[in-house]
């Protein structure tokens, strides 16, 4: 197994985001370049093929045991991916890959990762550093085609994490494979099998984490419900599609078509969301895309009190044209939410070009309203 630099039980650690990003990034590359489902099917299949070899090397890197083969390029590529997952940064040199033949997919993927410029992170201008992932995949694809793109997706996914993969690509992916399968595969290989814990087991099902089902209409779009995970479980027929902002399990919504369930890697804790602006923007865009398809949407997190109003406010600003600061105030009041994690409100405001150093004072100058009665202690998050 990869020795991840964090407390083993801290699922929020960025290294776990990166471990999931490696396998999911390789698979999502097929969607990003429009390769069609056949390439993804071969990537996932046990039968030997060049693209199945890419899956094998990615899994080998996550497991961290032994060498993949006697091939020096494969060994070098696996070590680069391991380093990316552990540290979030590529090694300074990878000579074997740097000097690989011009069309070799492993060398192409490394050179694409290393040479593709990282975009300036200017969220108020719609520019996010983590879109380097997509740029890397396209650079590899342009140079050497589908297989190079898959290898590049693994490296860039390990660099930037699952949270940097565009949600539309994951939605396309879900037509062939449940993204939860890839998450489970990656974390099992990186951390070992833990059948009683997420992602193999459902979460937030016992006290004090089980909450009464809760949902209210978005005040600016009543066809969007704002709620918690227990509403998803208790009222499966209340909506046509779901955007989940907390960890979920297939058993939470077995009735949903995979393309109608968009799962977002977002935590309700400061300093752990490495691609926070991009993730919030993508989640809001996912709500807008589902609404454009005429679907009634549930936007939820664990409690429906922090992540949910943040994304709902970004949807209001970017999708409905509402001013962002009044939208934040309105949405937090609507769900009876809170500002226990002010980094979410700051990021939503920044996406619209506003600095918000003290969200509580700016949004609620007369005092933050009382939190919903069923909400847990502020120290307990989902």
């Amino acid at each position: 197994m990869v020795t991840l630099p964090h407390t083993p039980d801290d699922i929020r650690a960025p290294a776990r985001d990166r471990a999931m990003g490696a396998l999911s990034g390789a698979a999502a590359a097929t969607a990003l370049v429009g390769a069609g489902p056949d390439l993804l099917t071969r990537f996932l299949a046990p039968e030997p093929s060049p693209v199945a070899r890419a899956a094998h090397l990615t899994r080998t890197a996550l497991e961290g045991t032994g060498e993949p083969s006697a091939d020096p390029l494969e060994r070098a590529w696996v070590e680069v991916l391991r380093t990316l997952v552990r540290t979030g940064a590529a090694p300074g040199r990878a000579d074997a890959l740097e000097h690989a033949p011009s069309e070799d997919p492993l060398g192409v993927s490394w050179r694409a990762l290393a040479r593709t410029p990282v975009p300036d992170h200017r969220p108020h201008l719609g520019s996010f550093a983590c879109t380097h992932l997509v740029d890397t995949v396209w650079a590899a694809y342009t140079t050497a085609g589908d297989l190079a793109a898959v290898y590049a997706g693994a490296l860039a996914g390990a660099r930037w994490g699952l949270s940097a993969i565009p949600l539309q690509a994951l939605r396309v992916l879900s037509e062939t494979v449940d993204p939860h399968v890839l998450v489970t595969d990656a974390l099992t290989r990186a951390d070992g099998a833990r059948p009683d814990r997420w992602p193999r087991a459902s979460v937030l099902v016992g006290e004090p984490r089980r909450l009464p089902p809760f949902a209210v209409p978005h005040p600016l779009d009543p066809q969007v419900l704002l709620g918690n995970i227990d509403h998803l479980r208790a009222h499966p027929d209340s909506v046509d599609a779901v955007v989940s902002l907390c960890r979920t399990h297939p058993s939470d919504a077995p009735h949903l078509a995979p393309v109608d369930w968009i799962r977002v890697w977002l935590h309700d804790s400061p300093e752990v969301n490495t691609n926070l602006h991009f993730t919030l923007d993508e989640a809001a865009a996912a709500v807008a895309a589902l609404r454009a398809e005429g679907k009634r949407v549930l936007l939820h997190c664990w409690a429906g009190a922090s992540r949910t109003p943040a994304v709902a406010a970004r949807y209001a600003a970017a999708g409905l044209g509402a001013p962002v600061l009044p939208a934040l105030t309105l949405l937090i009041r609507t769900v009876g939410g809170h500002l226990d994690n002010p980094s979410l409100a700051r990021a939503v405001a920044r996406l619209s070009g506003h600095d918000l150093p003290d969200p509580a004072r700016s949004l609620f100058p007369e005092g933050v309203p009382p939190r919903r009665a069923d909400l847990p202690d502020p120290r307990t998050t989902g």
Side-chain angles (χ1 to χ4, degrees), residues 206-257:
E207 297 296 344
R209 292 174 174 253
R210 194 70 185 260
L211 301 175
F214 168 81
V216 294
H218 193 300
L220 303 182
D221 182 356
Q223 292 303 303
V224 175
L225 292 184
L226 311 175
N228 63 11
I229 192 172
D230 286 288
H231 180 86
L232 172 65
R233 292 164 172 161
H235 302 286
D237 299 325
S238 63
V239 293
D240 308 307
V242 175
V243 176
S244 295
L245 307 175
C246 63
R247 286 175 291 152
T248 60
H249 186 269
S251 63
D252 293 324
H255 61 289
L256 284 173

Side-chain angles (χ1 to χ4, degrees), residues 1-2 40 57 71-72 122 126 181 241 243 248 261 264 268 285 287-288 297 301 316 332 336-337 339 364 372 379:
M1 296 178 290
V2 173
L40 177 59
L57 293 177
D71 186 302
R122 297 180 178 179
V181 171
V243 176
T248 60
W261 190 7
V264 182
D268 192 14
V287 175
V297 181
C301 56
I332 292 169
L339 282 166
F364 302 103
R372 206 168 72 232
R379 294 168 295 180

Side-chain angles (χ1 to χ4, degrees), residues 50 53-54 57 68-69 71-78 80 94 96-98 100-113 140 144 147-149 151-152 155:
R53 184 66 178 169
L57 293 177
S69 74
D71 186 302
L73 289 181
E74 291 189 345
R75 291 200 304 272
W77 188 89
V78 164
V80 166
L97 295 169
E98 184 65 36
S102 61
E103 296 298 312
D104 182 273
L106 291 100
V108 169
S109 69
W110 158 256
R111 291 190 292 267
L113 181 81
L147 185 57
Y151 278 105
L155 293 183

Side-chain angles (χ1 to χ4, degrees), residues 133-156:
L133 184 154
V134 175
D135 295 344
T136 295
V137 169
W138 272 105
Y141 175 76
T142 301
T143 300
D146 293 344
L147 185 57
V150 170
Y151 278 105
L155 293 183

